[in-house]
Amino acid sequence: MTTSVSPPDTVPKERTAGHRMPFWVNQRLGLLVLVIALSVLFGVVRPAFLDQRLVLFPLLRDVATLTVVALAQMAALSVGHMNLAVGRMAAFGAMFAGIGYDKLHLPMQAGLLLCLAAGAAIGAVTGWLIARTGVSSFVVTLATDFALLGLVSLMYSALTEDAAFTTRPAGVDALRSYSLADICAGPVCGSPAVPQLAQFTVLAMLGLGFLYGGTRVGRELLLTGANPAAAELSGIPTGRRVLLAHTLSGLLAALAGFMAAAGTGTFRASIGDDFMLPSFLGAVLGGTLLTGGVVSVLGTLLGTALVGVIRKGLDLLGVGLESLNIYLGCILLLALSADRIRTVVSYRKVVRST
Amino acid sequence: MSAVLLECHDLVKVFPGVRALDGVGLRLTAGSVHALLGENGAGKSTLIKVLTGVHSPDGGTLTWCGEPVRLRSPLEAARTGIGVVHQERNLIPGFSVAENITLQKPPARRGLVDHAAMTEPAVACLTELGVDLDPARPVRELSVAQQQLVEIAKALHTESRVLLLDEPTASLSPEETDRLFGVVRRLAGRGACVVFVSHKLEEVFALCDTVTVLRDGRSVLASAPLAGHSHDDIVSLMVGRAHTAAGMRPRTVDRSAKPVLELDGVATAGGHRDISLAVRPGEIVGLYGLVGAGRSELVKAVLGLDRVTAGEVRVHGSPARIRSPRQALHEFGIGYVTENRKEEGVFLEQPIVRNITVTVWRRLARALGFVPAGEERAVAQDLVDRLGIRITGLGQHAGELSGGNQQKVSLAKWLAADTRLLVIDEPTVGVDVRTKRAFHELIWDLAHDGLPILLISSDLAEMVTLADRIVVMTGHRVRGEVDNDRDYDRMSGRIIRLIHDRDEVRS
Ligand SMILES: Nc1ncnc2c1ncn2[C@@H]1O[C@H](COP(=O)(O)OP(=O)(O)OP(=O)(O)O)[C@@H](O)[C@H]1O
Ligand SMILES: [Mg+2]
């Protein structure tokens, strides 16, 4: 385009972009501080909390798995949808890995690929249904959840004796118990607290970070979530983006299912039963909007880590399961209000300086 | 001297990065129609929001009938006697017309909303405005203008002593505007005060008796009688310097050129019959009609959002079947600047940079679909500068901009896309005089450089300024076409006749 309009004669007062909120309003930073502070607190009160092998290793393994679950939810939230079937999709994917190892005697990687393909496929079907029929994701994923619940238990009872695949190819056990301490560069070894399973989480985070932060498709996913009508009229293939978001969600759920199975050592139907709540918690605490259009990959990790640290810490303090949930609820409410308070305080501050 | 109803002194309202109101004074007296003027982003809507309890002021005083008041919420303002029609639509789409109108004072019986008793007051308000609408229809099905009328009816229903109208006529036809003016005069006659915000100065001079002019959040003229000021005075006050209207470069259209877009006997599932029109390179074709004539619906059908049931759409001479706006953009190079910016034009909760570059990511993308942030910002900054969009930074959310600046953002998106045909729907609704002028020059220059433009507008003056040919539509049909000779009076006569001939046939 070669035309140019002379800008209005009086250029508006130069306003710098420096008037955005100060850095400490950043939700992720707040979460990071909270996670560290709580870890230190628990470590001081119960030094056992900082035991690398016995406490931190399983804690981080859980966090690694639940982060992937929350990322699966985040993918659906990015287009303003939700995936109530994350847990069952995880079980569905893990089941295929189990079948692969038990019946087809596949090597570990091939089983993993089968698992991911199954997850992506079921996610794609869900997404296609939503995009095609226009029925809300809530209803469709709820239906998927029920359908998979039946299907998965049926398959397990048909294919296995004690409702679990126990054949494990070489490498799966390593994933379960190996940490960075098992990787040495000469005399220097990694920390025994960091499980090797976390490599999948890191890969998923890098992939999603690149997708949402850097690419066209990622931006289009977000705009589809922010305003579907405007997105369609701006030339974004909203139907395909919805399909993609759910495919991704299914794929990540299946990955989480595989990680959970590898972490416990058996592929069984109950994998993913307790995935749904943490999936929303991690994503939303991390700053992903339920209404779509805004996601945070790093925030999802931190949000999940916060929940994990609180759980583990209270557990070590000897808090019983019921009261643990009460405490957990209170701390989460506090964390969310702190975030709100921080935003309001900083808003006032910026306003005063204007 | 009549009673002062509402008065404010030194009002201050600060948003991060902007002092939207910076010492504004206003005095509203009973029985007057008060104009509130200013450029886009001057702070008019913010003032109205402060006066109706939407925003709490950061400084200044407010008095109601001489008593200091604090309005903590819109409800409190409504109880005090201040009614309002905000610039953006605030209706509940799933509710019926009657439910929306009576929303603030629903007729109740024993604590339950009485649905039957709703219709009567709703119809009364609509009749006062001279609107014929089924009160049971859900608001979702109405056009922008009809929603605007419902919104005004809703304000009438509250029977306020001060009625604030923020650009109420932005999407109304001349007839509807006239009827609204009648209502406003009647209200003033009954001792109410009506505040009227508009960028159309002709309307302001026809209707108002006192005026306040805002510039950059300050009142440069506070509650003065309008009679003492000329049109140009007011514009200079708003702009802050003498206003000169430069002529536009002459432009001729090659009528023998092959049309870029051609509709031939098109009928749609939405009820259009036998629509034929053509747009040639460098030509601005106006699509004029009253509200409800089906102009936007026609364009949407052509872009694949509704079914074309008969006839042929040709792009560059070859028959085209456009299935989606995406295909229209990427395959045929057709851009559509929507009329309804809040719902379909901008992404309110997203940064401006994304709002502008959404159409060009495909072009900017490198390997793996990676879009370099730097280039993205450069494209956006370039358009922000060219259109003079007032922002505090490219990362600012579009929803924080004033109405006119949002409109610019939604146009910027299509200019970024380098389209080969642009459909522009109501481009200057809610845009101030200077920016409107800039918009007109921009559209004119785009055509001058060979871009074919299909312009939809309910603003006849705008049509006469810009269009080469004006196609007149009513009731989903083309009623005729006039060559524009840029003489407003002659053109308006011919167009009105085209519209009315049809009415006579019908009756
Ligand atoms: N919620 C908000 N957050 C931040 N800034 C805002 C907000 N609302 C308004 N502003 C800013 O305040 C200024 C005044 O805006 P306002 O909407 O009052 O303008 P206006 O006079 O109504 O313009 P228009 O004619 O375009 O409607 C603008 O610079 C706008 O960006
Ligand atoms: Mg405004």
Side-chain angles (χ1 to χ4, degrees):
Chain A
M1 201 139 311
T2 47
T3 32
S4 72
V5 167
S6 49
D9 322 291
T10 53
V11 180
K13 284 172 289 180
E14 199 56 52
R15 286 159 176 164
T16 50
H19 272 300
R20 304 309 296 167
M21 297 291 181
F23 75 95
W24 48 268
V25 195
N26 188 319
Q27 193 171 19
R28 270 145 290 170
L29 197 69
L31 277 175
L32 183 65
V33 170
L34 209 58
V35 169
I36 293 175
L38 279 175
S39 307
V40 170
L41 182 74
F42 287 132
V44 170
V45 180
R46 279 277 181 287
F49 183 82
L50 298 180
D51 185 302
Q52 298 212 17
R53 272 175 218 283
L54 292 181
V55 178
L56 290 185
F57 179 79
L59 169 64
L60 287 182
R61 203 172 56 191
D62 282 355
V63 168
T65 308
L66 288 179
T67 300
V68 176
V69 176
L71 289 176
Q73 193 61 258
M74 190 192 86
L77 290 175
S78 72
V79 288
H81 288 194
M82 49 179 96
N83 182 359
L84 298 182
V86 263
R88 225 65 68 184
M89 286 185 182
F92 184 73
M95 179 179 77
F96 275 86
I99 294 175
Y101 300 142
D102 208 60
K103 305 284 175 212
L104 311 174
H105 309 290
L106 295 177
M108 188 191 75
Q109 284 83 357
L112 174 58
L113 281 183
L114 186 63
C115 158
L116 295 182
I122 190 71
V125 169
T126 315
W128 183 82
L129 277 174
I130 296 170
R132 198 59 215 215
T133 61
V135 178
S136 88
S137 62
F138 183 92
V139 176
V140 175
T141 56
L142 196 62
T144 314
D145 188 58
F146 273 106
L148 288 182
L149 174 64
L151 184 71
V152 170
S153 18
L154 216 68
M155 297 273 282
Y156 270 102
S157 46
L159 294 176
T160 65
E161 254 117 66
D162 47 1
F165 294 109
T166 42
T167 320
R168 294 193 298 269
V172 173
D173 281 330
L175 275 181
R176 173 154 69 122
S177 49
Y178 281 18
S179 67
L180 288 189
D182 301 297
I183 299 176
C184 295
V188 191
C189 292
S191 153
V194 182
Q196 282 194 17
L197 207 55
Q199 60 181 300
F200 296 114
T201 313
V202 172
L203 276 179
M205 286 178 63
L206 286 178
L208 287 179
F210 177 70
L211 177 72
Y212 286 109
T215 68
R216 166 174 73 91
V217 172
R219 288 169 166 81
E220 292 185 350
L221 283 168
L222 295 175
L223 288 199
T224 303
N227 184 344
E232 181 71 36
L233 282 169
S234 302
I236 295 176
T238 50
R240 266 189 265 156
R241 292 298 166 258
V242 165
L243 179 72
L244 174 67
H246 283 276
T247 308
L248 264 180
S249 187
L251 180 104
L252 289 164
L255 175 61
F258 177 85
M259 290 168 70
T264 55
T266 48
F267 292 82
R268 56 176 74 248
S270 62
I271 281 172
D273 271 354
D274 47 1
F275 274 5
M276 186 153 80
L277 213 57
S279 76
F280 281 102
L281 262 184
V284 172
L285 274 178
T288 297
L289 284 188
L290 284 174
T291 46
V294 179
V295 298
S296 169
V297 173
L298 204 59
T300 302
L301 169 71
L302 291 170
T304 308
L306 178 66
V307 179
V309 165
I310 295 174
R311 242 178 212 293
K312 195 65 153 190
L314 291 180
D315 192 23
L316 281 183
L317 290 180
V319 176
L321 191 65
E322 283 84 18
S323 24
L324 188 137
N325 281 334
I326 300 178
Y327 283 114
L328 190 65
C330 292
I331 294 182
L332 290 177
L333 269 181
L334 267 180
L336 286 175
S337 342
D339 198 63
R340 177 77 198 136
I341 293 169
R342 219 170 43 235
T343 314
V344 171
V345 168
S346 76
Y347 181 87
R348 296 240 172 90
K349 220 174 178 160
V350 175
V351 158
R352 244 177 279 130
S353 69
T354 302
Chain B
M1 167 123 191
S2 40
V4 176
L5 292 174
L6 184 65
E7 193 168 5
C8 66
H9 286 293
D10 283 328
L11 275 191
V12 177
K13 176 68 201 175
V14 184
F15 294 115
V18 205
R19 294 183 77 86
L21 297 180
D22 197 7
V24 171
L26 182 72
R27 183 191 307 132
L28 302 179
T29 49
S32 72
V33 182
H34 193 106
L36 180 59
L37 305 177
E39 298 199 288
N40 293 135
K44 304 178 297 293
S45 301
T46 307
L47 176 59
I48 283 177
K49 285 181 185 158
V50 168
L51 294 181
T52 50
V54 178
H55 293 320
S56 58
D58 297 311
T61 54
L62 209 59
T63 56
W64 174 258
C65 299
E67 304 281 315
V69 281
R70 272 187 64 106
L71 303 168
R72 279 177 218 87
S73 69
L75 188 63
E76 241 173 82
R79 294 228 170 100
T80 312
I82 305 175
V84 64
V85 175
H86 287 293
Q87 187 173 8
E88 307 294 350
R89 303 288 62 78
N90 290 295
L91 298 171
I92 304 177
F95 278 28
S96 72
V97 169
E99 281 169 321
N100 268 291
I101 292 178
T102 54
L103 193 64
Q104 273 156 337
K105 280 202 313 190
R109 217 175 32 189
R110 283 186 248 117
L112 295 177
V113 172
D114 185 349
H115 281 268
M118 262 179 193
T119 317
E120 197 197 328
V123 170
C125 293
L126 289 171
T127 326
E128 174 139 34
L129 284 168
V131 191
D132 183 23
L133 265 181
D134 177 6
R137 253 174 93 183
V139 158
R140 174 184 308 118
E141 294 173 4
L142 304 184
S143 70
V144 183
Q146 288 169 324
Q147 292 189 15
Q148 175 80 56
L149 290 165
V150 171
E151 190 107 38
I152 296 170
K154 179 176 159 190
L156 289 182
H157 180 67
T158 58
E159 291 170 2
S160 326
R161 297 190 60 196
V162 169
L163 184 59
L164 310 170
L165 303 175
D166 197 350
E167 301 196 26
T169 59
S171 49
L172 298 188
S173 70
E175 281 78 17
E176 286 160 333
T177 305
D178 276 344
R179 277 198 293 264
L180 173 66
F181 286 3
V183 176
V184 167
R185 290 197 189 97
R186 249 174 295 155
L187 287 175
R190 275 184 235 151
C193 175
V194 181
V195 173
F196 182 72
V197 178
S198 174
H199 291 293
K200 302 178 190 163
L201 288 183
E202 302 77 32
E203 292 181 357
V204 168
F205 277 91
L207 184 67
C208 305
D209 44 39
T210 46
V211 60
T212 295
V213 179
L214 298 184
R215 186 167 75 227
D216 288 333
R218 292 195 185 84
S219 28
V220 287
L221 185 67
S223 311
L226 185 59
H229 297 273
S230 72
H231 202 292
D232 285 347
D233 287 350
I234 298 287
V235 174
S236 321
L237 276 170
M238 289 197 291
V239 177
R241 59 203 274 301
H243 178 75
T244 48
M248 303 210 230
R249 291 189 277 165
R251 181 168 64 84
T252 49
V253 179
D254 177 8
R255 289 284 167 93
S256 60
K258 218 165 56 182
V260 176
L261 176 73
E262 223 178 337
L263 306 190
D264 190 2
V266 165
T268 71
H272 298 85
R273 290 286 167 272
D274 204 23
I275 307 266
S276 302
L277 57 86
V279 192
R280 297 188 173 75
E283 187 179 36
I284 303 179
V285 175
L287 203 49
Y288 182 80
L290 299 186
V291 169
R295 294 162 299 164
S296 306
E297 290 90 333
L298 174 67
V299 170
K300 285 190 180 169
V302 169
L303 293 185
L305 290 170
D306 198 0
R307 255 172 335 109
V308 172
T309 50
E312 198 172 60
V313 178
R314 283 190 290 269
V315 180
H316 289 292
S318 41
R321 193 129 202 87
I322 304 176
R323 281 184 305 276
S324 67
R326 169 176 70 265
Q327 197 193 11
L329 170 64
H330 296 301
E331 250 172 63
F332 301 103
I334 303 177
Y336 175 42
V337 185
T338 51
E339 115 191 82
N340 195 342
R341 63 169 170 263
K342 193 177 172 188
E343 277 88 39
E344 304 179 334
V346 294
F347 301 90
L348 295 173
E349 305 284 309
Q350 295 285 330
I352 288 161
V353 54
R354 275 193 198 152
N355 265 287
I356 296 180
T357 53
V358 52
T359 51
V360 288
W361 288 332
R362 214 174 257 256
R363 196 176 72 211
L364 296 181
R366 302 272 173 76
L368 290 174
F370 177 73
V371 179
E375 279 178 36
E376 196 186 14
R377 294 181 71 84
V379 169
Q381 188 62 52
D382 174 48
L383 280 155
V384 164
D385 293 342
R386 262 170 67 188
L387 299 182
I389 309 178
R390 281 185 180 209
I391 57 173
T392 52
L394 285 175
Q396 193 183 12
H397 285 191
E400 290 172 9
L401 298 182
S402 76
N405 283 308
Q406 284 180 19
Q407 184 75 1
K408 289 189 193 174
V409 168
S410 79
L411 177 67
K413 165 167 81 182
W414 295 107
L415 294 186
D418 255 337
T419 45
R420 277 168 283 148
L421 171 85
L422 210 51
V423 181
I424 309 184
D425 201 345
E426 305 285 4
T428 57
V429 165
V431 166
D432 68 45
V433 193
R434 181 168 60 175
T435 312
K436 191 169 179 168
R437 180 82 201 166
F439 258 62
H440 286 173
E441 278 169 21
L442 177 74
I443 293 172
W444 186 272
D445 284 348
L446 289 173
H448 189 270
D449 292 343
L451 188 72
I453 292 172
L454 183 61
L455 174 73
I456 301 178
S457 176
S458 307
D459 182 345
L460 194 52
E462 177 165 281
M463 274 294 170
V464 174
T465 310
L466 290 178
D468 299 303
R469 284 182 297 131
I470 302 176
V471 176
V472 180
M473 256 179 95
T474 57
H476 293 72
R477 277 156 204 261
V478 171
R479 295 297 153 184
E481 189 182 303
V482 283
D483 268 319
N484 188 0
D485 60 8
R486 313 220 185 277
D487 181 297
Y488 182 81
D489 293 327
R490 199 162 43 230
M491 291 310 293
S492 72
R494 289 173 62 187
I495 288 171
I496 306 262
R497 227 167 302 128
L498 270 178
I499 292 174
H500 282 275
D501 275 353
R502 183 242 174 192
D503 281 348
E504 276 153 31
V505 172
R506 193 175 51 174
S507 54

